[in-house]
Amino acid sequence: MSVRVDHAVTSGTFSLDGETFDVDNNVWVIGDDEECIVIDAPHSVDDILAVVNGRSVKAIICTHAHDDHVRVAPALRQATGAPILLHPADRPLWELTHPDELWDADLEDGQTIKVAGAGLKVLHTPGHAPGAVCLYVHDLGCVFTGDTLFQGGPGATGRSFSDKDQIVASIRTKLLRLPDETVVHTGHGDDTTIAAERENLT
């Protein structure tokens, strides 16, 4: 199978609850030489387009609507013609960054989005954000977790629209059921595996 995962890191800020922090975000692009899907649209359209490298973008999938994951989504949509996909439960967060425009299609738990012969299965994993999703790619043995699961454990839940008990339940019911060897591609920082994170869930 020619489908592959391409990756870059882009830098910017994250703002919520009146505070702003410097952050580095992973940019994930999955596809082949002809077409691809972009996962999250953080700080720079140019950085994302460098990873796309001229391919046709079928969709821009947002793992959740914190500003450091959707800030340039509308601009990327304009540049590529690709629709933005987001879980509707994250509308309140989306509107904090983009009050005057919406995404194009809703993500639903269990749906599969195809690209380059591979399927990305949507797993609704609320907790870090109400509409947080992860994307499991069986064919590649990996899952894109956004800010739901990192190397070291669950994502942060100390801010508005987040819930610690909920994120732990989401990880237990949706992610820990994946094969142990599944590679976890996160929204920030290094990769990990499902097996490695079992012991980090408290």
Side-chain angles (χ1 to χ4, degrees):
M1 182 177 291
S2 60
V3 65
R4 67 182 188 273
V5 176
D6 294 305
H7 171 243
V9 177
T10 184
S11 301
T13 61
F14 162 63
S15 298
L16 188 63
D17 296 337
E19 294 184 277
T20 297
F21 305 90
D22 293 328
V23 288
D24 296 328
N25 285 64
N26 290 320
V27 172
W28 299 107
V29 177
I30 180 169
D32 57 16
D33 290 338
E34 304 298 325
E35 64 180 25
C36 63
I37 284 175
V38 173
I39 299 173
D40 288 333
H43 314 291
S44 164
V45 171
D46 288 342
D47 287 349
I48 297 168
L49 291 179
V51 184
V52 169
N53 194 26
R55 289 175 283 177
S56 172
V57 180
K58 293 188 66 177
I60 303 158
I61 301 179
C62 301
T63 60
H64 63 295
H66 283 152
D67 65 350
D68 61 320
H69 291 257
V70 302
R71 181 174 288 112
V72 301
L76 185 62
R77 173 174 60 189
Q78 185 173 3
T80 63
I84 301 168
L85 282 61
L86 178 73
H87 193 283
D90 256 17
R91 182 167 183 159
L93 280 168
W94 171 273
E95 290 179 340
L96 293 176
T97 305
H98 301 297
D100 299 321
E101 55 189 332
L102 292 175
W103 61 97
D104 300 286
D106 291 345
L107 294 172
E108 297 180 7
D109 185 56
Q111 81 180 95
T112 298
I113 301 162
K114 296 280 193 177
V115 64
L120 285 70
K121 184 176 181 180
V122 177
L123 308 174
H124 182 211
T125 53
H128 181 72
V133 300
C134 299
L135 303 161
Y136 176 54
V137 188
H138 176 271
D139 295 321
L140 293 177
C142 67
V143 61
F144 300 88
T145 56
D147 289 1
T148 294
L149 182 64
F150 292 109
Q151 184 184 74
T157 52
R159 300 189 177 276
S160 298
F161 305 102
S162 65
D163 185 291
K164 181 178 180 180
D165 290 342
Q166 195 174 45
I167 199 172
V168 170
S170 291
I171 294 168
R172 289 191 190 282
T173 60
K174 298 292 181 65
L175 298 182
L176 295 189
R177 293 181 179 180
L178 300 177
D180 277 354
E181 64 272 18
T182 304
V183 176
V184 177
H185 296 308
T186 64
H188 309 269
D190 295 332
D191 289 350
T192 182
T193 64
I194 293 297
E197 298 314 315
R198 288 186 187 280
E199 62 189 39
N200 294 323
L201 198 62
T202 58

